[in-house]
């Protein structure tokens, strides 16, 4: 069996979800109540691969919300408790979705392994970031040409370039996609310099400098609510891949020449009998899901019960190719732009 650990995109959304599920105490409770709430196993379901293999899965809501990120100990405990629940249920491999994986990218995991009487077994958990990075790269490769963007001549900005997903995307685009120029955007200068040295190129820019220069923008960082984007200053055409969480980039851009695509989303070949993706507001909730969750399914389909994605900057191109091949084999396809949304511009010569 595989597991998925998720959470709501905001405290207000979490309260609405709790009311829908009949958890009235949580629905009416303030944030402090949620900080002490235990994780909830909300549903179980089956998934059948294109190969014919059927696996069972379960979804655990960690009762974590992004507003808890400022309380590091609380946020960490919420994720730990959800992981403990998954392990006690005997789940082979569990994906950490949303912010739950970010918590464990930058810290010494050995400090957090003992949860009451349970010693967490790291091999039972994956962040899903390898599959997410592969999916985002394929979204760039498949959709940029549809907009008349030739990647061999394009400048691609990666916002959040030094994160686990961001650095993997940079490696792939540089060495597999053959993009002309990479524009590297992140907060920590030393990590940017180290990434540039690893890549053997790329230009380190601020966000304000990079946006007007980019034919493609890959967002793999959280989008500040206060951020404003001057749509008139963006290139025509421009493809934006919203790979952050929550996905709210489309509300920041207003231009007929800019297409915003939800990044890191895959669509399965057949319906899945669950309710969780309706809560995530997927366009096709029976088939669409986050690529990080799909990684847990793929590991269960393949009997790869290991922490395939873990830590920071450990994603290799070989691992991306491996999980990508499995993704195609079992019936996942990457989310693309709808034909009606693509600006009618000629393919670049």
């Amino acid at each position: 069996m595989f597991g998925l650990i998720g959470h709501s995109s905001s405290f207000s959304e979490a309260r609405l979800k709790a009311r829908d599920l009949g958890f009235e105490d949580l629905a009416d409770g303030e944030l402090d109540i949620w900080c002490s709430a235990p994780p909830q196993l909300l549903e179980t379901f089956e998934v059948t691969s294109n190969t014919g293999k059927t696996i069972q899965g379960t979804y655990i809501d960690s009762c974590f919300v992004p507003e808890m990120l400022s309380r590091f100990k609380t946020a960490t405990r919420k994720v730990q408790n959800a992981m403990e629940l998954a392990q006690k249920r005997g789940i082979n491999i569990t994906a950490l979705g949303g912010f739950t994986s970010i918590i464990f990218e930058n810290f010494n995991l050995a400090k957090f392994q003992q949860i009451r009487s349970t010693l967490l077994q790291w091999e039972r958990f994956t962040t899903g970031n390898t599959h997410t990075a592969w999916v985002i790269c394929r979204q760039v490769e498949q959709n940029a040409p549809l907009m008349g963007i030739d990647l061999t001549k394009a400048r691609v900005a990666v916002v959040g370039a030094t994160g686990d997903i961001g650095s993997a995307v940079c490696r792939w685009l540089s060495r597999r996609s053959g993009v002309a120029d990479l524009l590297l955007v992140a907060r920590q200068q030393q990590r940017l310099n180290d990434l540039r040295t690893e890549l053997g190129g790329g230009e380190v820019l601020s966000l304000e400098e990079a946006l007007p220069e980019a034919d493609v923008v890959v967002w793999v960082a959280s989008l500040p609510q206060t951020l404003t984007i001057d749509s008139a200053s963006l290139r025509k055409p421009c493809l934006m891949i919203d790979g952050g969480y929550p996905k709210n980039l489309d509300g920041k851009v207003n231009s007929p020449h800019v297409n915003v695509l939800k990044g890191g989303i895959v669509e399965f070949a057949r319906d899945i009998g669950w309710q969780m993706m309706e809560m995530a507001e997927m366009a096709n909730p029976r088939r669409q899901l986050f690529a990080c969750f799909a990684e847990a399914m793929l590991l269960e389909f393949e009997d790869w019960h290991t922490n395939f994605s873990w830590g920071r900057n450990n994603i290799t191109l070989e691992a991306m190719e491996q999980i990508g091949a499995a993704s195609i084999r079992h019936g996942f396809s990457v989310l693309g732009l709808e034909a009606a949304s693509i600006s009618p511009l000629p393919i670049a010569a």
Side-chain angles (χ1 to χ4, degrees), residues 317-338:
L317 299 184
E318 292 74 20
M320 291 174 70
E321 290 171 338
Q322 183 182 11
I323 203 71
S327 185
I328 295 170
R329 179 165 59 252
H330 291 289
F332 291 98
S333 59
V334 305
L335 188 67
L337 293 169
E338 295 182 4

Side-chain angles (χ1 to χ4, degrees), residues 120 180 182 234 278 318:
L120 292 179
L182 275 180
L234 301 176
E278 293 180 5
E318 292 74 20

Side-chain angles (χ1 to χ4, degrees), residues 308-324:
F308 196 85
S309 305
W310 204 246
R312 187 189 186 98
N313 290 337
N314 294 324
I315 299 175
T316 65
L317 299 184
E318 292 74 20
M320 291 174 70
E321 290 171 338
Q322 183 182 11
I323 203 71

